[in-house]
Amino acid sequence: IVLSGTYKPRIRCFDTYQLSQKFERCLDSEVVTFEILSDDYSKIVFLQCDRFVEFHSQHGHYYRTRIPKFGRDFSYHSPSCDLYFVGASSEVYRLNLEQGRFLNSLQTDASESNVCDINPVHFLFAMGTAEGKVECWDPRTRNRVGLLDCALSSVTADTEIDGLPSISALKFDGALNMAVGTSTGQVLLYDLRSSNPLIVKDHHYGLPIKSIQFQRQLDLIISADSRIIKMWNKDTGKIFTSMEPEYDINDVCLYPNSGMLMTANEAPKMNIYYIPVLGPAPKWCSFLDNLTEELEENPESTVYDDYKFVTRKDLENLGLAHLIGSSLLRAYMHGFFMDIRLYHKAKMMANPFAYEEYRREKIRQKIEETRAQRVQLKKLPKVNKELALKLIEEEGEEQQLTRKRKQKNLPSLLKDDRFKVMFENPDFQVDEQSEEFRLLNPLVSKISEKRKRKLKILEELEAQEQEEEEEPEGKASDAESSESSDDEKGWVEEVRKQRKLLRQEEKVKRQERFKEDQQTLLKPQFFEIKEGEEFRSFKDSAKKQKLMKKTLGDRLKLEEKLGTLNVSDTTVGSKQATFKLKKSEQQKKQQEAEKQHRQERKTLRRSASHLKSKRGRGRLFH
């Protein structure tokens, strides 16, 4: 397998028998196309982008020559040992490898030619032109024997074409069939005996066709543009399959008599596909057949493919909290898995206008993006206006200071892309009514006042230095210390006020909740008990729910108090915990019955011994 790449221009040869790289050679310029002339790698011809044609043998570079115009493609005519070069010229250049010289070129009617190919059966030479035509030449007489207007035939009722389609790909199949690819994304299949195409296949991407291959076992045509590879039936045009790689495609190569497909793309690694329907795996990678058979035998679908993960809060929002514990929800980590169809239905019922809101939001974002491309005026953003105003003021003050001190300006948060979302997305809006903001706001406001005062002091000091007026040392520092102490006292008072307000608001909220609880009427709820279970009380279930909500540490402390858990420190430094299994209700009942039975037997024994002692005394007395 030989492939060429760029940056730096190089070729690599891989040996399939050893599954390793055989050699790598670097070139002076990029390779436009190349062809292997022998059965092995001993004779390779490279057409380069700087008009040079380079010949390589087993040891490496062998010979280098130049063609008059920039070449785009070439084909090898084996009966005469001629190379036919087409490119940015109306002429087709012929280089004879037996004589080692250029022969008379073929003069065509085209201004430029893009691709060419030679039929492997009767050696008819065909070339695709920039005008959308295919010219066929007989190499024996060096005369043109046919002309096809593919540009006109590619335009059908269903196709939309921008500009004149030129020929971008050409490939023969047998003696009579020929496939032509255009620069507008159409593939035309011809019979050489007719000037009309048998079938026209459109890729619907508007991109030039890069490669055409024939798969004879299933009568398929494999056509590729830079985005997609399509396999379709050459008789009906029905799509067999299609593949869209991650990177742009440059060329496609079908491994002979197999189902393996290789693509050269805009990435360091080639993409290799194996499709068992097209044919068996090559001998050097026969293990692929075993892998595909195993995959077909054991189709494993993932458990949660058609499920949606939801938390307890999501269930409450959807009104499905009553399903917890049922078979419709599967507990997993901190939430549940539910059927995706049930989730969509519940979401539609809970919020039927969600899609409309989402659509409006997307339209608004698109409008905002288009507005951003216009001439920008200095205005505050819609989100976090106060924060933006504060940043602008601080930036202006800092710029004044830096100008005076001749320092570099620091980057602004408003211009930094990392913080751009903070002033665009409403989810990042600062909640001024939150407890955290109300407690921190006095501090923030005091810090800003401090900064302003310091700036004023610095300006006064600079003005005094300019006027060369001296003041006694220690005065400014005393003023600053007194101001800082006043600021701290004021800040503490404001924080206390905010805390008092928060407590009052919490009291009001509690009173409102209490009133609502008094007004609500409790309705009786009926529960169905499962078979084989006894009804005890609702308190047990409530206790269990409370226990489940508690943390592991709290539960361990409870267990220690009850005596079912014993935690002790070891000599190494670790901890040792021993558990006692909780007894079931039946075991407790059995233990109680046994206890009662023992007590009854004790009482019986005591009474019997008492009677015996009485009888003995009576006899003695008598």
Side-chain angles (χ1 to χ4, degrees):
I1 300 168
V2 182
L3 61 112
S4 65
T6 59
Y7 195 75
K8 301 179 178 179
R10 68 186 70 193
I11 56 165
R12 284 180 178 174
C13 180
F14 295 95
D15 188 359
T16 56
Y17 289 101
Q18 299 295 329
L19 292 178
S20 61
Q21 182 178 308
K22 194 167 188 68
F23 63 81
E24 179 183 13
R25 297 172 187 168
C26 292
L27 304 171
D28 294 336
S29 55
E30 294 179 11
V31 176
V32 177
T33 184
F34 68 92
E35 190 169 339
I36 302 168
L37 304 182
S38 59
D39 294 334
D40 55 3
Y41 65 95
S42 58
K43 293 178 184 178
I44 310 175
V45 183
F46 297 97
L47 175 63
Q48 297 176 347
C49 63
D50 56 354
R51 295 193 292 150
F52 274 101
V53 181
E54 199 165 306
F55 298 87
H56 281 232
S57 61
Q58 286 179 338
H59 66 271
H61 172 76
Y62 179 75
Y63 184 73
R64 197 180 189 207
T65 186
R66 203 171 190 181
I67 56 176
K69 299 283 185 177
F70 289 97
R72 293 175 184 171
D73 197 8
F74 74 92
S75 293
Y76 178 61
H77 186 251
S78 56
S80 62
C81 297
D82 288 346
L83 286 174
Y84 287 79
F85 295 94
V86 297
S89 172
S90 61
E91 294 180 340
V92 179
Y93 303 110
R94 293 192 302 148
L95 176 63
N96 188 272
L97 301 182
E98 187 180 5
Q99 300 176 25
R101 65 187 183 89
F102 283 97
L103 303 178
N104 292 331
S105 57
L106 305 177
Q107 186 63 44
T108 65
D109 295 337
S111 60
E112 293 180 351
S113 303
N114 295 328
V115 289
C116 65
D117 195 20
I118 292 175
N119 193 292
V121 180
H122 47 68
F123 303 106
L124 182 71
F125 174 72
M127 51 173 285
T129 66
E131 288 82 10
K133 295 179 181 179
V134 174
E135 294 187 14
C136 297
W137 292 71
D138 188 353
R140 297 170 296 180
T141 60
R142 297 188 297 280
N143 292 324
R144 192 174 71 186
V145 293
L147 181 67
L148 291 173
D149 192 353
C150 300
L152 188 63
S153 302
S154 66
V155 180
T156 59
D158 300 330
T159 56
E160 293 182 4
I161 294 170
D162 297 331
L164 182 69
S166 59
I167 308 301
S168 60
L170 187 67
K171 187 73 175 177
F172 280 107
D173 178 35
L176 298 175
N177 290 333
M178 180 180 67
V180 179
T182 64
S183 59
T184 52
Q186 288 85 28
V187 181
L188 298 87
L189 183 64
Y190 281 94
D191 190 321
L192 292 178
R193 296 168 291 186
S194 174
S195 60
N196 296 321
L198 299 173
I199 192 168
V200 179
K201 188 69 180 175
D202 196 349
H203 273 219
H204 298 290
Y205 279 107
L207 299 170
I209 303 298
K210 294 286 186 80
S211 173
I212 300 173
Q213 300 287 334
F214 289 92
Q215 212 280 339
R216 292 178 184 174
Q217 281 80 7
L218 298 175
D219 291 334
L220 297 176
I221 293 177
I222 303 169
S223 55
D225 56 24
S226 60
R227 187 178 295 180
I228 193 169
I229 302 168
K230 287 193 176 184
M231 300 182 190
W232 45 281
N233 191 285
K234 68 177 185 180
D235 298 324
T236 60
K238 187 179 178 182
I239 286 286
F240 179 74
T241 186
S242 61
M243 294 175 288
E244 289 191 49
E246 187 179 355
Y247 302 101
D248 290 348
I249 303 163
N250 291 326
D251 196 10
V252 176
C253 179
L254 184 65
Y255 198 89
N257 303 319
S258 74
M260 182 172 283
L261 195 72
M262 291 174 280
T263 64
N265 42 46
E266 294 291 333
K269 291 185 179 180
M270 291 193 302
N271 284 339
I272 300 173
Y273 301 93
Y274 175 54
I275 306 167
V277 183
L278 298 181
K283 290 181 181 178
W284 50 273
C285 58
S286 57
F287 56 87
L288 288 176
D289 286 324
N290 300 330
L291 287 174
T292 51
E293 285 174 7
E294 287 174 8
L295 289 170
E296 286 175 0
E297 287 172 4
N298 303 318
E300 293 181 3
S301 59
T302 52
V303 181
Y304 300 115
D305 274 351
D306 301 325
Y307 285 79
K308 171 75 177 174
F309 182 79
V310 289
T311 59
R312 196 178 287 270
K313 191 176 181 182
D314 295 335
L315 289 172
E316 289 173 1
N317 294 334
L318 293 170
L320 300 176
H322 62 281
L323 295 178
I324 296 172
S326 66
S327 59
L328 296 171
L329 295 176
R330 294 186 186 184
Y332 183 75
M333 292 176 68
H334 63 284
F336 305 90
F337 274 112
M338 67 183 296
D339 196 297
I340 192 72
R341 293 169 293 179
L342 176 62
Y343 174 77
H344 286 313
K345 283 182 182 178
K347 198 171 183 184
M348 285 295 294
M349 291 174 71
N351 191 4
F353 303 105
Y355 176 72
E356 290 295 327
E357 291 173 4
Y358 171 77
R359 189 167 169 272
R360 285 190 202 122
E361 185 65 22
K362 282 288 178 187
I363 291 167
R364 188 188 65 76
Q365 287 178 5
K366 289 284 183 187
I367 292 166
E368 291 293 333
E369 286 176 5
T370 53
R371 283 176 181 170
Q373 296 172 0
R374 300 175 188 170
V375 178
Q376 294 291 322
L377 297 172
K378 285 187 178 179
K379 58 180 182 180
L380 293 172
K382 290 185 177 180
V383 182
N384 290 328
K385 286 184 180 179
E386 293 181 2
L387 180 62
L389 183 63
K390 183 182 174 184
L391 290 170
I392 290 165
E393 289 175 357
E394 289 177 358
E395 188 182 353
E397 290 170 0
E398 286 176 3
Q399 281 180 355
Q400 288 178 0
L401 275 175
T402 50
R403 282 174 190 169
K404 289 178 181 179
R405 296 178 181 178
K406 296 180 181 180
Q407 292 179 352
K408 290 183 180 179
N409 290 329
L410 294 172
S412 173
L413 284 175
L414 292 166
K415 295 175 183 177
D416 199 334
D417 292 335
R418 295 175 294 177
F419 304 97
K420 186 170 66 175
V421 186
M422 196 168 67
F423 302 101
E424 292 177 357
N425 194 341
D427 294 338
F428 290 93
Q429 178 67 43
V430 176
D431 187 9
E432 295 183 0
Q433 299 301 320
S434 64
E435 184 179 349
E436 292 83 1
F437 182 83
R438 289 171 68 177
L439 290 172
L440 287 171
N441 193 37
L443 177 64
V444 174
S445 60
K446 287 294 172 186
I447 288 168
S448 61
E449 287 175 10
K450 271 187 183 181
R451 194 182 288 114
K452 287 178 183 177
R453 286 173 185 170
K454 283 183 180 178
L455 288 169
K456 285 180 183 178
I457 291 163
L458 287 168
E459 286 174 2
E460 288 173 3
L461 287 170
E462 286 177 0
Q464 287 172 2
E465 284 175 1
Q466 287 176 0
E467 292 172 3
E468 295 181 355
E469 293 179 358
E470 295 181 356
E471 283 187 2
E473 292 179 5
K475 190 176 180 181
S477 62
D478 293 338
E480 282 180 8
S481 62
S482 62
E483 283 175 2
S484 63
S485 61
D486 293 339
D487 292 340
E488 285 175 1
K489 287 176 184 177
W491 172 70
V492 170
E493 288 175 2
E494 285 185 10
V495 169
R496 283 175 182 169
K497 285 179 185 177
Q498 291 293 334
R499 281 183 178 164
K500 282 180 183 177
L501 287 169
L502 287 167
R503 285 170 190 164
Q504 288 174 3
E505 287 175 3
E506 283 179 4
K507 282 183 182 178
V508 171
K509 285 179 182 177
R510 283 174 193 165
Q511 289 174 1
E512 288 176 357
R513 286 175 191 165
F514 183 70
K515 286 178 183 177
E516 286 178 1
D517 292 339
Q518 285 180 341
Q519 289 174 2
T520 53
L521 296 170
L522 296 172
K523 294 180 181 180
Q525 290 184 352
F526 297 95
F527 297 92
E528 188 177 349
I529 301 168
K530 292 181 181 178
E531 292 181 2
E533 289 187 2
E534 294 181 2
F535 175 74
R536 298 180 194 89
S537 66
F538 290 105
K539 292 180 181 178
D540 295 339
S541 60
K543 283 179 182 177
K544 284 182 182 178
Q545 286 180 356
K546 284 180 181 178
L547 275 172
M548 290 302 291
K549 287 180 182 177
K550 286 184 178 180
T551 60
L552 180 63
D554 295 337
R555 278 184 272 168
L556 289 173
K557 286 176 184 177
L558 262 173
E559 296 290 334
E560 276 189 277
K561 286 180 183 177
L562 293 170
T564 55
L565 172 69
N566 184 21
V567 181
S568 60
D569 295 329
T570 61
T571 55
V572 186
S574 58
K575 290 201 173 186
Q576 182 178 356
T578 54
F579 294 88
K580 290 180 183 177
L581 293 174
K582 287 185 178 179
K583 294 174 182 177
S584 62
E585 294 293 328
Q586 290 180 354
Q587 288 176 345
K588 286 180 180 178
K589 285 178 180 178
Q590 284 179 358
Q591 283 183 352
E592 286 176 2
E594 287 174 2
K595 205 173 184 180
Q596 287 179 357
H597 183 63
R598 285 170 192 162
Q599 286 177 356
E600 286 173 1
R601 287 179 71 182
K602 281 181 182 178
T603 51
L604 285 169
R605 283 172 187 167
R606 285 174 186 170
S607 59
S609 62
H610 188 62
L611 285 168
K612 282 179 183 179
S613 62
K614 275 185 176 182
R615 282 174 188 172
R617 285 174 191 170
R619 283 171 188 170
L620 289 167
F621 182 75
H622 183 70

